[in-house]
């Protein structure tokens, strides 16, 4: 038990003890400041701003997604037309080859 008190005495004499006490005091005052009405008002306004940003981002995301869906649909339509044209050209080539063979 005596050794324990010697350790505490050594800790108090060290250079880091005033820093520790300062941190405890600063933390206690910080908790009081964080719980004040002004701080709560700032939290409310900050949260409201974050919600507005979230709504803006969600709206923008929806618009981008709609545009991407339109682009994808048009690209699929172009590819379907191209495939149909290529298929038609192949059928015409086969008909010409069959006609020439006869």
């Amino acid at each position: 038990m005596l050794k324990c008190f010697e350790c505490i005495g050594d800790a108090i004499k060290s250079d880091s003890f005033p820093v520790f006490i300062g941190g405890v005091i600063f933390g206690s005052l910080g908790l009081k400041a964080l719980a004040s009405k002004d701080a709560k008002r700032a939290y409310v306004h900050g949260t409201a701003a974050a919600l507005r940003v979230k709504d803006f981002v969600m709206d923008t995301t929806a618009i981008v997604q709609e545009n991407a869906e339109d682009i994808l649909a048009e690209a699929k339509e172009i590819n379907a037309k191209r495939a149909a044209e290529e298929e038609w050209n192949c059928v015409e080539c086969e008909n010409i080859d069959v006609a020439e063979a006869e």
Side-chain angles (χ1 to χ4, degrees):
M1 183 83 172
L2 186 59
K3 284 187 177 184
C4 189
F5 286 122
E6 288 175 9
C7 292
I8 292 173
D10 290 341
I12 291 172
K13 291 177 188 175
S14 73
D15 292 336
S16 61
F17 186 71
V19 173
F20 172 74
I21 294 299
V24 169
I25 292 170
F26 185 73
S28 298
L29 293 175
L31 286 176
K32 220 170 207 195
L34 292 176
S36 71
K37 287 182 182 180
D38 292 333
K40 287 181 183 178
R41 192 176 314 128
Y43 304 150
V44 169
H45 285 286
T47 303
L51 289 173
R52 286 192 302 271
V53 168
K54 179 194 140 231
D55 291 340
F56 174 76
V57 168
M58 294 303 288
D59 292 342
T60 304
T61 302
I63 291 169
V64 169
Q65 188 174 9
E66 289 171 5
N67 289 340
E69 288 172 356
D70 292 344
I71 291 169
L72 180 63
E74 287 182 35
K76 286 181 178 182
E77 186 177 313
I78 289 170
N79 284 339
K81 284 180 183 177
R82 188 178 234 178
E85 286 175 5
E86 287 178 5
E87 186 177 321
W88 174 254
N89 288 337
C90 284
V91 169
E92 281 184 354
C93 290
E94 288 176 5
N95 289 341
I96 292 172
D97 290 341
V98 170
E100 288 177 359
E102 291 176 357

